[in-house]
């Protein structure tokens, strides 16, 4: 088996998500979520959460919202991942709300690129920390976040409606210069 050569950096970029990307984003989210979360949460919860988070009206409203950012990861000309983050209203804090890379492109540094981008926006917005919530059983993501400077700060169980809960760790990363 031969290894595919790494793509040139010019073939990998992070750009702001645009309104015309929302349908493609929803399809990518569905593909990633079923590939990843089916071993962690039920299909019913996956459907419920996809509907809550990736409904076109919701995403379009978030794109128009001040203090909220959506990015898309472009690899070899196609959308391969995405991230969203927002100012929480707590002084100095930005929440990395979503960070996903297609499973076939994981472990290539793309998630780290998106974390760095969120850190740059946080810093330029006067924030000193990034926070996120991650499912306690999402061991791969937890390991990746630890590798990128996050630490576990808290444990929460949050009712999200529909008879579902999110059983998460809250992780925090200081935002410093030149990450």
């Amino acid at each position: 088996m031969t290894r595919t050569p790494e793509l040139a950096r010019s073939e990998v970029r992070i750009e702001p998500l645009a309104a015309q990307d929302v349908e493609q984003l929803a399809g990518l989210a569905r593909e990633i979520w079923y590939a990843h979360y089916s071993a962690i949460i039920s299909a019913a919860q996956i459907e419920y959460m996809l509907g809550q988070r990736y409904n076109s009206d919701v995403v379009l409203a978030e794109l128009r919202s001040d203090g909220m950012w959506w990015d898309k990861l472009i690899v070899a000309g196609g959308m391969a991942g995405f991230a969203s983050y927002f100012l929480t209203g707590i002084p100095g804090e930005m929440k990395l709300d979503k960070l996903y890379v297609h499973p076939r492109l994981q472990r290539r540094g793309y998630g780290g690129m998106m974390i760095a981008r969120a850190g740059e926006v946080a810093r330029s917005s006067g924030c000193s920390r990034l926070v996120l919530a991650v499912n306690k059983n999402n061991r791969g993501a937890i390991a990746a976040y630890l590798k990128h400077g996050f630490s576990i700060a808290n444990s929460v169980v949050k009712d999200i409606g529909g008879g579902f809960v999110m059983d998460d760790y809250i992780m925090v990363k200081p935002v410093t210069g030149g990450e």
Side-chain angles (χ1 to χ4, degrees):
M1 184 162 101
T2 59
R3 196 159 181 226
T4 305
E6 290 300 313
L7 293 168
R9 282 288 167 196
S10 64
E11 293 185 62
V12 178
R13 61 192 186 282
I14 298 171
E15 299 176 352
L17 189 78
Q20 63 265 23
D21 299 321
V22 172
E23 189 174 320
Q24 185 180 5
L25 168 82
L28 179 61
R30 176 171 295 283
E31 187 177 349
I32 291 170
W33 275 58
Y34 271 98
H36 186 76
Y37 286 113
S38 59
I40 299 173
I41 59 178
S42 70
Q45 185 166 349
I46 290 171
E47 283 300 318
Y48 181 79
M49 293 179 75
L50 286 170
Q52 274 190 326
R53 288 160 173 71
Y54 302 101
N55 171 294
S56 61
D57 292 337
V58 169
V59 177
L60 289 168
E62 289 178 355
L63 287 174
R64 292 187 299 268
S65 182
D66 287 337
M68 179 153 206
W69 294 261
W70 273 91
D71 290 331
K72 60 184 175 181
L73 172 70
I74 305 296
V75 177
M79 190 186 308
F82 56 90
S84 75
Y85 37 96
F86 61 88
L87 298 172
T88 65
I90 297 171
E93 184 176 275
M94 180 172 279
K95 182 174 184 186
L96 179 57
D97 192 43
K98 297 168 186 70
L99 175 62
Y100 294 97
V101 175
H102 193 283
R104 73 174 176 271
L105 295 172
Q106 291 177 354
R107 295 176 203 26
R108 297 183 186 189
Y110 301 143
M113 289 172 61
M114 290 193 293
I115 290 169
R117 169 76 180 134
E120 291 166 10
V121 174
R123 195 172 26 265
S124 70
S125 299
C127 295
S128 59
R129 68 188 165 281
L130 275 174
V131 299
L132 61 83
V134 60
N135 186 291
K136 291 174 186 170
N137 293 311
N138 195 345
R139 290 179 179 82
I142 293 167
Y145 291 133
L146 290 169
K147 174 183 164 188
H148 288 285
F150 284 87
S151 60
I152 296 172
N154 202 357
S155 173
V156 297
V157 176
K158 179 181 174 187
D159 184 336
I160 58 169
F164 302 110
V165 298
M166 291 187 348
D167 189 8
D168 292 342
Y169 288 125
I170 303 302
M171 299 184 79
V172 179
K173 173 187 171 97
V175 174
T176 58
E179 292 174 64

